[in-house]
Amino acid sequence: MKVQSARFGEIEVAEDSVLQFVSAILGFQEETQYVLIPQVEESPFQYIQSIKDPNLTFVLADPFLFCADYEFTIEDRWLQKLDLQSQEDVDIRAITTVRSSSDISINLKAPIVINKKSKEAMQIVLDSADYSTRYSLLNGQGEAK
Amino acid sequence: MLILSRNKGQKIMVSDDIVISIIEVSGDQVRIGIEAPSHISIYREEIYTAIQQQNAMAASPSNDQVDQLLQQIPTSKKK
């Protein structure tokens, strides 16, 4: 299938690579389908592009590369919603905010949980954990909480 | 807005399947229990707002140099 993207132009993606958000990225309730943009180079970052809105992209990061002790429990209700059966099917990503060369952060408070097998995804909110929505990737904060 | 008075231990039904219980009242603080089907998401309002704002800020980065900026970030634990 073809997807229009303001950033990447027209892209061709496999139907089965579409991420289906069972619970939308907060504030973007209308957009529930995204495609992961295949990367050329190895990078901890990855774009997702909304299928419906060519102008809507997010940058996702692998949070564990920046915060080695990042951890949380995936609650039963989330497991059910994402139909997660096995730990091997879980992928965790954090939404990255790039504001300027000196202000780049990831949201550890509300990560994206992906079921790699079914391609279902959702943004969860870690209500009990004390993680920041703006965890800086700069300023040598890499190891701090 | 519908405003109801409830005592400790009393409940409110929202539709057929959401039950809100007043667990405890002490001074300015109220402890509330919410039973709802799993497809209903429940958030503390200030956290919901903070995350919504952060998402809006993260959406569609317009800076042409995003890719270069991201490439410069060192990771603490390379795979």
Side-chain angles (χ1 to χ4, degrees), chain A residues 36-141:
Chain A
L36 277 167
I37 304 297
Q39 288 165 287
V40 185
E41 292 164 54
E42 200 168 303
S43 158
F45 301 100
Q46 206 166 24
Y47 284 92
I48 53 170
Q49 166 71 52
S50 161
I51 287 186
K52 226 168 68 184
D53 181 354
N55 291 308
L56 185 60
T57 54
F58 288 96
V59 179
L60 303 185
D62 178 346
F64 303 104
L65 293 175
F66 302 105
C67 184
D69 58 358
Y70 183 48
E71 64 172 7
F72 58 87
T73 305
I74 301 181
E75 293 176 20
D76 285 346
R77 57 195 167 106
W78 299 331
L79 291 176
Q80 279 172 24
K81 214 162 164 176
L82 287 168
D83 197 22
L84 275 167
Q85 316 282 352
S86 157
Q87 198 166 356
E88 287 159 23
D89 297 336
V90 181
D91 226 348
I92 307 292
R93 289 288 179 270
I95 295 181
T96 308
T97 309
V98 183
R99 303 195 80 187
S100 70
S101 59
S102 58
D103 187 355
I104 301 175
S105 62
I106 54 175
N107 185 347
L108 294 182
K109 183 79 175 169
I112 307 282
V113 181
I114 301 168
N115 180 339
K116 280 191 276 189
K117 217 191 234 166
S118 68
K119 303 289 176 193
E120 287 168 298
M122 68 188 286
Q123 183 174 33
I124 61 168
V125 177
L126 304 178
D127 223 3
S128 49
D130 190 20
Y131 287 116
S132 171
T133 58
R134 298 189 62 176
Y135 179 86
S136 176
L137 298 188
L138 307 165
N139 315 327
Q141 235 196 58

Side-chain angles (χ1 to χ4, degrees), chain B residues 10-75:
Chain B
Q10 291 188 316
K11 300 180 182 188
I12 294 169
M13 297 296 304
V14 179
S15 201
D16 294 328
D17 48 9
I18 300 174
V19 186
I20 297 172
S21 317
I22 308 304
I23 309 287
E24 196 184 312
V25 182
S26 105
D28 282 346
Q29 209 180 39
V30 182
R31 282 169 65 79
I32 293 172
I34 303 165
E35 291 166 85
S38 61
H39 69 271
I40 303 281
S41 302
I42 298 161
Y43 310 96
R44 290 184 171 86
E45 186 270 342
E46 69 278 13
I47 293 176
Y48 181 90
T49 305
I51 290 179
Q52 209 178 36
Q53 285 172 352
Q54 193 60 40
N55 285 343
M57 245 187 285
S60 312
S62 56
N63 192 327
D64 290 341
Q65 291 167 345
V66 167
D67 293 324
Q68 286 101 302
L69 292 177
L70 292 177
Q71 269 169 26
Q72 284 159 20
I73 294 176
T75 56

